[in-house]
Amino acid sequence: MSAVATSRAWPFVGRAEPLAVADAALDADRGVLLVGPAGVGKTRTAGELLARRAAARDTVRRALATSATVDVPLGALGPLLPPWGDRKGEPNLVQWAARALVARAEAGARLVLGIDDGHLLDPLSAAVVGQLALTRSATVVVTARSGAPLPDALATLRRERLLERVELDALTRPEVEELVAASLGGQLDGAAAYRLWHLTRGNALYVRELVSAACRHGTLRPLDGVWVWSGDAPTHGLDDVLDDRLGALPPEDRDALELLAFCEPAGTDLLASLVDPAVLDRLDRSGLVVSEQFGRRIDLRLAHPLYAELLRGRASPLRVRALNRRLADAQEAIGTRRARDRLRLLLWRLGAAQSVDPAELCEIAERVLPGDPATAGRLADAAVEAGGGFDAGFLSARVLLAAGRADEAEALLATLEADTPDRGVRLATTRAQNLFYALGAPEKAAGVLRELDAGGLDTDRQLTVLRAAVLSYERRYVETWELLAPLLVDVDGGDPTTLWACVVGVTALRGCGRFDTLAALATRGLALAAALADRAPEWQRMHLAMGEVSGHAFAGRFAEGVRLCEQRYEEALDAGLTGAKIVLGGFGGLVLFLCGQVRTSAHRLRDATAGVRIGAAPLVPVLRAGLAQSTALAGDVTAAEAVLAELGDPDPEYAPWIHMARAWTAAARGELARAVRDMTAAADAAEERDERPLTFLMLHGLVRLGVSDDALVERLTRQVDGVEGEYARAALAHARALAAGDGPALDEVVEVFATGGGLLLAAEVAAHAAAAHRRAGRVAAERAAAARARTLAARCEGARTPALDLLDAPDDLTPREREVARLAARGLTSRAIAEGLTLSVRTVDNTLSSVYAKLHVAGRRELATIDLGA
């Protein structure tokens, strides 16, 4: 598949606004000047404009100006002109060339002349272009590089407002993602899109070359239908492109750029003893280096991230060692006044193969681990090699945790032996948290904490949090919260123990269904994590962020949950947190499902789980189940069934989610009875585990499928008792109104869900309301509710559910009749229908007879011609 990226023509994406401005100018018979830096996509945008003009029957001609033709008279336009001998004595070359170009246009068609790299036009060609534009004999589309002076003729056209200047900026990150996904023919992993955009800064040329190189080298490859990035950025395919900027530099300039590649951003104090100030000034003025001022300090960096990638990639091992040694010696000479200086000095010493104190390596690695696990891992490995003992081994295990390699981390943690009570506490609590949150083994987690020697705890508060953690691992959520609540009165001014209490408290509140309280506590916990001097571990921040999102979403503030998830996801990517893809990206997909954005939900869930094996983390089976249900409701039942087959028989831990996914997949197939059975199994599995929030979610799923009996209402009433937020209240109101056939009450529920952003839920309730109004003979109310349902459903990315099918199905069929009729219309025999719905064949035949009579059809063949809903 990697050949796709190198051979397929790259699509044209984005640029809607500049194209609209350019089209308007061309429609007004004015020219267009497309300006932007090298590689931004000027030529491609000009090509799109010219293709549109050709489609409108204009005569399009294109010319290319180059440095080789800049001193050749008519060098750029020569290929478009007849031989000079055809001038027939015409002494004015400009007029002859202009007339010749116009004469070569098709009869009655407007001539549109495209000039690439117009800043390199030779004077005579520029004069011809100016003549054509001034006399309105042709319309011109010119590209030019930012900052390059234009020939006088083009500058005159700009002053006369005969050329509309259109600035082309770099592509945005969504545009980069769209471009690459279209070229590869498949979805691009969110983290890969982030890295591509960061490396290329949206430069279209760099994007294309980097993606092509990454595909060739296997750095970018498809996993589970998603293109995922792994490893370093290959620069081999970019050599020719970047050498235009870096290839012809004098040795002293090249040396300075290499140093910057290994130390950026670098202060002038560091570079003063290594680089001649005149060299830095020259590089700054040439645009290869940029400088930024922070108070009295000036930092320098390379003008583009790919310059550093190329220079580092080309340096030999011996050269790398020499550069690191020079940088380390220079830093040692000026001292390490800032924390950043100490880190860089250590890394340069390691790069120069010099000995470093393992205790210092561990100290600095601890500091950088939350925000830069890759660098922390390098320091930890060096500390282990240098004989760093327990601290180095423990640090290596935490690096594995930060990289999402929870099973490897547990294997390492289990081998470590703590020689002090304090180290014993840190080892046991880290193991327990990994076992519970990452490996889904609450019993083992609780066992590790029970065996802990509490003598290493400094305060009674730590002991209380430890006891609460054991209770939460045992799912005794009410007791957990009762123990923790007194410690969380003042979170804002807390310490690491308070933060640990927040994390455990989030788990307890979610288990209790205290969603409003959960959202508030998680937000305060995140603020505390950011304020602490020592940054909180990644898993704590991820858990708090997921708690914040789930608190809002399951309280009925679905849109706010999505907004927060997107915000926290971006923040996590910026911080280099590897767990963001699964935790925040994936959980956001689950919330998007409730909002009704089923295709976006499937996209996000596919991204979150690509290349991650089932069982790698407890959230993965949940996310794969979510992918199945989103895919099914988006219309691809076959793909949903493939995901469910991969999940296999549900583990009790994930049974509610997998049964629910099976239910929505069955519903998408039109098998309502099976859907109800699976959703009931989901609710039963959640209730068995005393997961009340999950139970109410599955019970409301039954309501959404159309189940409307008093027993379900009573059961749902028990489950939502004490659950905070509008979602639980609205779900119960939905169940009661559906059972009572109360259309006006259902109308009220519609607005509750719609206000919170649960558009699919709102659309389904509106469809139920329309049916209730119809049965009551309220024609106007029925039409209003149906219109509301269709309006809401139109914003749900094509989602189809049994409730929405009510809008299109014949009015007078019962749900059972509709289900049997849909299966018969698909060609199933009465026996097959009976086996699928657990009915007798006679019951199926009797039901079909009733359907035929109501719809006035003679049999199955005519039944297949009627719209019975999806």
Side-chain angles (χ1 to χ4, degrees):
M1 293 182 71
S2 61
V4 172
T6 57
S7 62
R8 176 185 292 177
W10 280 65
F12 184 84
V13 303
R15 307 300 193 200
E17 186 175 339
L19 281 175
V21 173
D23 275 329
L26 294 174
D27 289 340
D29 206 20
R30 296 166 57 224
V32 173
L33 176 64
L34 297 172
V35 179
V40 79
K42 301 183 295 297
T43 300
R44 192 64 188 277
T45 304
E48 180 69 15
L49 283 172
L50 295 173
R52 295 183 183 191
R53 294 297 135 181
R57 304 299 181 90
D58 291 338
T59 297
V60 173
R61 297 287 183 264
R62 301 192 68 168
L64 172 64
T66 69
S67 56
T69 63
V70 71
D71 294 322
V72 179
L74 291 178
L77 295 180
L80 304 179
L81 296 171
W84 282 35
D86 294 350
R87 286 184 295 152
K88 297 179 180 179
E90 170 63 67
N92 191 320
L93 286 177
V94 173
Q95 291 185 8
W96 168 77
R99 283 198 300 269
L101 287 170
V102 174
R104 289 197 164 193
E106 296 178 12
R110 178 173 64 161
L111 174 62
V112 180
L113 185 59
I115 307 291
D116 208 15
D117 285 340
H119 56 285
L120 296 177
L121 274 176
D122 60 278
L124 207 55
S125 291
V128 173
V129 172
Q131 177 83 2
L132 291 170
L134 282 168
T135 60
R136 305 294 177 112
S137 302
T139 306
V140 297
V141 175
V142 184
T143 71
R145 184 173 294 182
S146 298
L150 292 174
D152 289 342
L154 295 186
T156 299
L157 293 180
R158 278 286 300 133
R159 288 194 297 271
E160 296 295 326
R161 302 182 62 80
L162 292 175
L163 271 183
E164 179 74 31
R165 181 185 174 96
V166 179
E167 292 278 354
L168 290 183
D169 296 322
L171 296 172
T172 64
R173 200 170 105 205
E175 287 172 341
V176 168
E177 185 171 1
E178 180 187 356
L179 173 66
V180 176
S183 175
L184 296 174
Q187 179 179 331
L188 183 64
D189 165 68
Y194 177 86
R195 185 164 189 187
L196 273 173
W197 184 81
H198 175 76
L199 283 173
T200 64
R201 302 281 175 86
N203 183 293
L205 177 62
Y206 291 172
V207 170
R208 187 187 69 197
E209 296 298 333
L210 185 58
V211 167
S212 298
C215 287
R216 287 195 302 271
H217 290 81
T219 304
L220 189 62
R221 57 196 177 94
L223 290 174
D224 300 327
V226 178
W227 288 80
V228 177
W229 187 291
S230 61
D232 296 329
T235 57
H236 305 297
L238 289 160
D239 287 1
D240 292 340
V241 176
L242 297 178
D243 274 346
D244 287 343
R245 295 286 282 156
L246 306 179
L249 294 172
E252 60 271 20
D253 290 24
R254 180 84 177 199
D255 181 69
L257 291 178
E258 281 185 320
L259 283 166
L260 268 174
F262 283 88
C263 73
E264 64 176 354
T268 52
D269 54 347
L270 175 67
L271 295 173
S273 62
L274 298 170
V275 180
D276 185 341
V279 171
L280 292 177
D281 182 63
R282 184 165 62 242
L283 293 172
D284 188 28
R285 284 186 285 106
S286 70
L288 290 171
V289 168
V290 294
S291 56
E292 300 173 288
Q293 186 152 1
F294 302 93
R296 297 168 58 187
R297 190 178 82 250
I298 295 178
D299 276 352
L300 291 92
R301 65 175 70 244
L302 295 172
H304 198 285
L306 282 177
Y307 296 169
E309 294 283 345
L310 176 67
L311 291 165
R312 288 195 295 265
R314 284 185 172 180
S316 69
L318 194 61
R319 177 67 172 162
V320 169
R321 183 171 292 186
L323 289 168
N324 276 287
R325 183 167 55 252
R326 288 171 62 191
L327 289 166
D329 291 344
Q331 187 68 67
E332 193 85 64
I334 65 173
T336 53
R337 296 185 295 274
R338 297 183 294 270
R340 184 187 76 172
D341 296 340
R342 290 186 65 201
L343 169 62
R344 285 146 64 92
L345 177 59
L346 284 178
L347 292 174
W348 291 330
R349 290 290 184 215
L350 292 176
Q354 297 175 338
S355 61
V356 182
D357 179 14
E360 187 176 13
L361 288 168
C362 289
E363 177 192 345
I364 301 300
E366 286 279 357
R367 184 175 300 157
V368 302
L369 175 58
D372 190 355
T375 298
R378 183 180 172 191
L379 298 174
D381 290 344
V384 170
E385 290 182 13
F390 174 87
D391 287 340
F394 184 59
L395 190 58
S396 294
R398 291 170 56 211
V399 170
L400 291 171
L401 288 174
R405 296 155 64 183
D407 47 357
E408 295 176 58
E410 165 57 17
L412 178 55
L413 289 168
T415 65
L416 297 179
E417 295 184 4
D419 53 1
T420 67
D422 175 65
R423 285 175 170 167
V425 168
R426 287 192 288 139
L427 176 60
T429 54
T430 301
R431 277 194 71 193
Q433 289 155 4
N434 183 42
L435 287 165
F436 182 75
Y437 292 109
L439 296 176
E443 294 81 7
K444 289 184 180 179
V448 168
L449 290 185
R450 288 194 199 95
E451 294 172 3
L452 174 64
D453 178 7
L457 295 172
D458 294 333
T459 66
D460 290 339
R461 289 171 61 245
Q462 289 181 328
L463 184 58
T464 298
V465 178
L466 176 65
R467 289 170 177 163
V470 173
L471 292 173
S472 73
Y473 297 161
E474 295 172 344
R475 290 191 170 85
R476 294 159 63 182
Y477 299 126
V478 174
E479 296 172 71
T480 302
W481 180 244
E482 289 175 349
L483 198 59
L484 287 177
L487 302 183
L488 295 172
V489 175
D490 180 21
V491 172
D492 301 337
D495 57 11
T497 300
T498 310
L499 183 63
W500 184 19
C502 285
V503 173
V504 179
V506 160
T507 301
L509 290 170
R510 186 163 49 223
C512 296
R514 301 277 301 277
F515 294 121
D516 289 328
T517 308
L518 164 61
L521 177 64
T523 301
R524 293 162 64 199
L526 285 168
L528 174 60
L532 290 175
D534 293 329
R535 295 187 67 185
E538 175 185 8
W539 71 266
Q540 288 189 334
R541 286 179 284 161
M542 290 293 98
H543 190 67
L544 289 169
M546 191 170 72
E548 180 185 47
V549 171
S550 61
H552 284 286
F554 289 106
R557 298 181 291 275
F558 307 104
E560 177 64 6
V562 170
R563 186 195 69 77
L564 278 171
C565 203
E566 293 292 333
Q567 176 186 331
R568 300 303 185 193
Y569 185 46
E570 290 296 313
E571 291 171 354
L573 287 176
D574 286 338
L577 302 184
T578 55
K581 173 181 167 179
I582 294 178
V583 177
L584 293 176
F587 199 77
L590 298 178
V591 180
L592 284 164
F593 174 79
L594 294 174
C595 291
Q597 298 178 47
V598 289
R599 296 186 187 280
T600 306
S601 168
H603 181 97
R604 181 61 59 80
L605 289 163
R606 195 177 296 111
D607 178 1
T609 58
V612 183
R613 62 179 175 79
I614 300 295
L619 197 57
V620 174
V622 174
L623 301 182
R624 296 296 285 178
L627 172 61
Q629 65 189 20
S630 292
T631 303
L633 294 196
D636 194 345
V637 176
T638 302
E641 289 172 338
V643 176
L644 289 172
E646 174 194 346
L647 286 169
D649 292 330
D651 182 286
E653 182 77 20
Y654 316 117
W657 296 97
I658 296 175
H659 282 307
M660 182 170 68
R662 288 176 175 175
W664 286 120
T665 303
R669 281 195 306 262
E671 300 175 3
L672 188 58
R674 178 168 295 178
V676 169
R677 289 200 300 272
D678 283 328
M679 194 69 78
T680 301
D684 292 344
E687 192 168 17
E688 273 182 34
R689 299 177 65 78
D690 198 24
E691 297 280 0
R692 293 180 60 209
L694 276 187
T695 307
F696 104 71
L697 179 66
M698 311 324 184
L699 291 176
H700 187 229
L702 287 169
V703 180
R704 295 172 64 188
L705 292 172
V707 179
S708 57
D709 56 59
D710 292 337
L712 175 58
V713 173
E714 182 181 347
R715 187 177 178 188
L716 188 55
T717 301
R718 291 197 304 272
Q719 290 300 323
V720 303
D721 182 34
V723 173
E724 296 176 350
E726 290 295 330
Y727 190 3
R729 290 189 286 271
L732 181 57
H734 182 190
R736 286 173 172 166
L738 186 64
D742 189 342
L746 287 166
D747 288 334
E748 294 178 6
V749 177
V750 171
E751 297 313 312
V752 174
F753 280 133
T755 299
L759 301 185
L760 181 57
L761 301 175
E764 290 176 323
V765 180
H768 285 156
H773 288 310
R774 181 171 62 248
R775 288 191 294 270
R778 294 186 288 269
V779 177
E782 175 199 349
R783 290 174 179 169
R788 181 76 167 125
R790 289 190 175 94
T791 299
L792 290 163
R795 299 167 61 189
C796 292
E797 301 182 340
R800 297 300 307 178
T801 69
L804 296 182
D805 288 344
L806 295 172
L807 299 172
D808 300 321
D811 291 347
D812 50 356
L813 295 185
T814 67
R816 171 66 78 192
E817 288 170 340
R818 273 195 302 274
E819 182 176 26
V820 171
R822 280 198 297 264
L823 295 174
R826 288 167 47 193
L828 272 69
T829 65
S830 293
R831 181 169 299 280
I833 296 171
E835 291 175 354
L837 301 181
T838 320
L839 302 172
S840 69
V841 175
R842 176 176 296 179
T843 298
V844 172
D845 288 336
N846 290 339
T847 303
L848 283 173
S849 295
S850 176
V851 169
Y852 300 154
K854 287 183 177 182
L855 300 182
H856 305 290
V857 298
R860 293 171 185 258
R861 181 173 299 178
E862 291 185 32
L863 187 64
T865 66
I866 296 176
D867 185 0
L868 297 165

